Amino acid sequence: MIEINFRREPIYLTENQLESTQYTQYRFAIAKIHSLKALREQFVGRVIHASQEQWKDDVISLLAFNAKSTDDYEKWSKGGH
């Protein structure tokens, strides 16, 4: 996170989103920063924190999804899993 100045986008953007010209700098960063590439590979899903209860429910859902999934590249999304 320090290497990317605590920016979240290069971690959670999809490969399709990274093709956009507005994210060119992130595409290059992912290619150059090995720890960022590793972090993206381990990323399971993003939980938005609108309220404490909603955040807690979504984290529980994400953890259950991650424990059940047999595909290391499958991503959690709210309402999707």
Side-chain angles (χ1 to χ4, degrees):
M1 292 295 297
I2 292 170
E3 289 181 284
I4 57 173
N5 202 24
F6 292 92
R7 287 184 172 79
R8 299 176 311 269
E9 293 88 353
I11 300 167
Y12 69 76
L13 289 172
T14 66
E15 294 299 323
N16 287 339
Q17 290 172 312
L18 286 169
E19 293 300 320
S20 169
T21 55
Q22 80 184 86
Y23 299 123
T24 301
Q25 74 276 20
Y26 294 150
R27 220 174 30 247
F28 289 119
I30 292 163
K32 288 185 172 192
I33 303 172
H34 298 289
S35 57
L36 176 56
K37 187 174 184 177
L39 185 57
R40 282 181 56 82
E41 289 172 0
Q42 296 174 17
F43 177 76
V44 175
R46 181 176 180 215
V47 174
I48 308 293
H49 47 281
S51 72
Q52 185 173 354
E53 190 62 30
Q54 169 267 316
W55 178 85
K56 178 182 155 190
D57 291 345
D58 288 350
V59 168
I60 290 169
S61 174
L62 181 143
L63 293 172
F65 162 82
N66 192 43
K68 186 173 65 170
S69 178
T70 58
D71 180 356
D72 286 342
Y73 298 100
E74 188 177 17
K75 307 296 183 210
W76 175 88
S77 64
K78 182 176 178 136
H81 295 93

